[in-house]
Amino acid sequence: MSRRGLGGAAFGTLAGLLSLTQASAPGASARPRLSEDAAPGLPAGGLRGMWIATVANIDWPDEPGLGAEEAQAGLAALLDTAVEHRLNSVFLQVRPTADALWPSPYEPWSAWLTGVPGRDPGWDPLDFAVREAHARGLALHAWFNPYRVAMHDDPGQLAPNHPALEHPDWVVPYGGRLYYNPGIPEVRVFVQDAMAHAVEHYAVDGVHWDDYFYPYPVAGEEFDDDDAFAAYGGDFADRADWRRHNIDLLVREMRERVRATRADIPFGVSPFAVWRNASTDPEGSDTRGGVQTYDDLYADTRGWVRQGWIDYIAPQVYWHIGDPAADYATLVEWWSGVAAGTGVALHIGEALYKAGDPASPEAWQDPAELSRHLTLCADHPEVGGNIFYSATHVVTDRIGAMSRVVADHY
């Protein structure tokens, strides 16, 4: 299952702390940048990354509640797999559901790690991950989800000291899950504080967000932010514009905080790849997406690039070359045009999980499809690398698609 599946939206349908005096990971050296204000973060020769998802134990740990030795061995094995496949970066999900995989003063320990919300595992996974990644020459990017509180809608299942219980007015149940309300300024400050703590105390090599801002739409439901809009939306006649403004503030302010704390590391976002369809906006992509980030998630991903509010963007271009609704080639070209001349790096998120999946279109049954993606990217100088979803699929390498990528390109 992909993290997008967990989000409930398939395309077209809605389905000891490390000292910060340490150098960044080997392989994380910067290449020439297009503007003086752009952050480093592109490894020499291009980014070669993989996501390690912890929500629902997608990639790691294998199951909640493992002992320290077994859990550490599993994570080390994933890092070894990255090295074996000649990758240089991993994106570890350390705050999957308003929780933490490090001793955070803001949020409880993650139940995905311990099996019990708030239970101390007796070791520090983020410290271990940074040390072990750096020992292997890998950059370790800390992957956070800003607003998702729980994959269920029962506050009684949260840790007793969870901030969502202390501030129930911050929380909106929607689609069977719990979310923090992005329209409340105190929420925005809190989630930034929670994420910034890891940046301030660990030698991570980047700050990474995925595609969840306002939640993916659920048919027949409305995200109930009436009270927040009444209290804080006075300058906006249109609620959608106000929601986009809230997410703009989150992105811009977080980048400023990262830059102020660690000017040597990048802050980037991996959004759903369709900003807007051309049928909605002539500046959009020639696609027919059932989801548009600008309109449905209130995330103006194109605007963030144009404004320089992020250091890189890694759109999830999770379709094959020639897909009738969202052609991989069309989207890579469109995003290359968006990034050109901005100083914002462009990486492409790759759907390795689709390779050899019987439920995927025929193109994904060809072991060479993914390799063709990288060949196409090489024709676009704006593309600085690729990130593969996800670690489990790098390990299993179904139909040899990842091995083909390594043989052809790495």
Side-chain angles (χ1 to χ4, degrees):
M1 180 184 292
S2 75
R3 72 178 186 269
R4 286 74 189 139
L6 286 167
F11 183 80
T13 61
L14 295 175
L17 304 180
L18 288 177
S19 167
L20 292 182
T21 60
Q22 287 182 279
S24 292
S29 58
R31 76 179 190 184
R33 305 194 298 277
L34 296 177
S35 76
E36 292 183 359
D37 191 47
L42 273 178
L47 181 79
R48 305 173 180 180
M50 75 177 187
W51 280 290
I52 302 176
T54 59
V55 65
N57 302 105
I58 290 175
D59 293 315
W60 180 83
D62 289 342
E63 60 184 60
L66 294 179
E69 185 175 345
E70 189 174 358
Q72 289 172 3
L75 183 54
L78 292 180
L79 299 178
D80 288 340
T81 293
V83 172
E84 290 164 4
H85 289 79
R86 301 181 183 176
L87 305 181
N88 54 32
S89 306
V90 294
F91 295 76
L92 176 64
Q93 192 175 34
V94 297
R95 185 181 182 267
T97 47
D99 49 11
L101 272 75
W102 75 96
S104 168
Y106 294 95
E107 294 178 308
W109 283 103
S110 176
W112 306 117
L113 175 69
T114 66
V116 178
R119 175 179 289 175
D120 188 337
W123 64 291
D124 186 340
L126 183 52
D127 171 68
F128 177 84
V130 171
R131 288 188 288 106
E132 293 295 316
H134 288 184
R136 291 164 172 79
L138 296 167
L140 191 288
H141 296 249
W143 166 15
F144 306 93
N145 186 283
Y147 289 126
R148 184 172 58 202
V149 174
M151 301 295 287
H152 55 76
D153 60 3
D154 179 10
Q157 295 184 37
L158 300 175
N161 64 340
H162 200 291
L165 298 179
E166 298 174 14
H167 303 278
D169 55 310
W170 287 5
V171 179
V172 179
Y174 180 76
R177 296 173 185 175
L178 299 175
Y179 298 91
Y180 282 134
N181 189 339
I184 299 176
E186 292 83 1
V187 167
R188 190 174 75 250
V189 172
F190 173 80
V191 299
Q192 290 175 0
D193 288 344
M195 294 181 285
H197 182 265
V199 182
E200 293 162 356
H201 292 84
Y202 295 83
V204 298
D205 299 291
V207 174
H208 182 78
W209 291 352
D210 56 11
D211 52 328
Y212 296 114
F213 297 98
Y214 280 87
Y216 278 85
V218 175
E221 293 195 38
E222 293 292 333
F223 188 83
D224 185 7
D225 55 2
D226 289 350
D227 290 345
F229 184 52
Y232 306 110
D235 293 336
F236 295 87
D238 182 78
R239 189 177 309 210
D241 288 340
W242 171 71
R243 287 176 173 176
R244 276 186 288 272
H245 173 70
N246 296 331
I247 303 303
D248 283 350
L249 287 175
L250 177 78
V251 171
R252 188 180 71 206
E253 292 170 359
M254 190 66 192
R255 199 258 191 164
E256 291 170 354
R257 292 188 66 159
V258 172
R259 182 59 59 87
T261 304
R262 297 281 308 284
D264 60 321
I265 68 172
F267 165 55
V269 178
S270 172
F272 185 80
V274 177
W275 171 71
R276 301 187 95 183
N277 298 311
S279 60
T280 303
D281 186 324
E283 295 192 19
S285 53
D286 184 16
T287 52
R288 285 156 293 286
V291 172
Q292 302 171 96
T293 65
Y294 184 92
D295 302 278
D296 297 311
L297 309 183
Y298 307 98
D300 184 9
T301 53
R302 173 178 173 267
W304 305 340
V305 174
R306 292 165 65 91
Q307 295 289 339
W309 291 346
I310 53 180
D311 298 310
Y312 70 85
I313 195 158
Q316 299 164 23
V317 189
Y318 283 1
W319 303 280
H320 61 271
I321 296 171
D323 186 288
D327 182 1
Y328 180 94
T330 296
L331 281 163
V332 169
E333 182 175 2
W334 187 85
W335 277 107
S336 294
V338 169
T342 64
V344 175
L346 172 64
H347 311 309
I348 302 299
E350 300 287 347
L352 174 61
Y353 71 94
K354 288 188 174 181
D357 180 0
S360 295
E362 183 179 355
W364 289 104
Q365 311 312 315
D366 183 351
E369 172 67 22
L370 206 61
S371 179
R372 285 193 287 267
H373 289 193
L374 273 69
T375 299
L376 187 150
C377 287
D379 292 333
H380 294 81
E382 295 83 7
V383 177
N386 306 79
I387 312 174
F388 300 93
Y389 189 80
S390 65
T392 295
H393 302 283
V394 176
V395 172
T396 57
D397 194 17
R398 187 169 47 198
I399 72 171
M402 191 67 200
S403 294
R404 180 70 177 265
V405 165
V406 174
D408 292 351
H409 301 280
Y410 295 166

